Amino acid sequence: MLSIAETSMPKIDVSDEILSDLGELAVPFVDKEPADVIKRLIREAKAKSGAAQDETPVHSTIAPPDLSHTKVVVGTINGAVMAKPNWNRLMDYAIDLAADKLKDSDAVSKIVLAKHVKGQKTDQGFAYFPKAKISVQGQDSNNAWKTTAYILKELGYKAEITFAWYDNPKAANPGKVGKFVVA
């Protein structure tokens, strides 16, 4: 017969400082306990090191799968690793890159596929991009990625985005991981 000690999970002691750091790295509504943060950080490290490269299918940027019910795990654009990436933050970063490179709001406006207006508009989900002098409406995951990929291709920038479908029956590939590569 097994004792309680033999059937329980191994325990590790962490300092308050480490626990606080884990709390700062937690993603709201995704990481529910410290173990979730640790698991996600391990996945990110493996993806970054290429250890998971062979396991993660690369999807077409031209005809991507349905990205509903997904989260961005690691986002690297033009060599920069994004902090706390999500689909709209990737799009926002790509718009800022376009503004920096093109330095013309009309040129930027031509490559932004998402709904946008010239000038400043901050209601109805719009965010203002001062460098581009346009306001862009927030998008769902599919349209945010479509806009991001198009901008990056037009600029000739590289990106590698690792994402995961939530374990949700409405997701295209529940519990699976995928990757986009823009070269």
Side-chain angles (χ1 to χ4, degrees):
M1 183 161 120
L2 294 175
S3 71
I4 292 176
E6 293 172 331
T7 60
S8 67
M9 296 291 291
K11 303 287 183 206
I12 59 170
D13 292 321
V14 296
S15 67
D16 289 340
E17 179 184 358
I18 291 173
L19 193 58
S20 176
D21 288 343
L22 283 173
E24 289 175 18
L25 294 171
V27 177
F29 303 112
V30 174
D31 299 323
K32 297 188 178 18
E33 56 186 61
D36 296 331
V37 179
I38 294 168
K39 285 188 259 182
R40 183 174 47 76
L41 292 173
I42 291 169
R43 278 195 315 270
E44 289 174 11
K46 284 182 177 180
K48 199 185 282 186
S49 73
Q53 195 172 39
D54 295 336
E55 303 165 14
T56 306
V58 177
H59 295 276
S60 167
T61 57
I62 297 168
D66 182 8
L67 299 173
S68 300
H69 308 288
T70 61
K71 64 180 176 180
V72 178
V73 179
V74 181
T76 305
I77 295 179
N78 206 29
V81 179
M82 307 283 300
K84 296 186 178 182
N86 67 38
W87 296 112
N88 275 280
R89 283 192 191 117
L90 295 175
M91 180 183 73
D92 295 350
Y93 186 69
I95 292 168
D96 281 338
L97 287 174
D100 288 342
K101 185 172 183 176
L102 301 175
K103 301 190 186 318
D104 175 45
S105 63
D106 289 333
V108 174
S109 184
K110 287 179 183 174
I111 63 171
V112 174
L113 302 178
K115 184 174 182 179
H116 64 283
V117 296
K118 288 186 179 181
Q120 187 169 358
K121 179 176 174 75
T122 56
D123 61 343
Q124 298 176 329
F126 282 84
Y128 182 59
F129 293 81
K131 292 188 270 184
K133 297 182 178 88
I134 63 172
S135 297
V136 181
Q137 194 170 46
Q139 301 292 301
D140 66 15
S141 52
N142 290 297
N143 288 323
W145 172 246
K146 181 179 175 183
T147 298
T148 303
Y150 187 78
I151 291 170
L152 295 175
K153 287 177 187 175
E154 288 295 309
L155 297 176
Y157 289 157
K158 297 180 181 202
E160 189 169 301
I161 312 300
T162 303
F163 60 94
W165 280 274
Y166 290 102
D167 196 10
N168 180 324
K170 294 181 180 179
N173 297 295
K176 303 279 184 180
V177 176
K179 183 184 290 188
F180 290 123
V181 176
V182 179

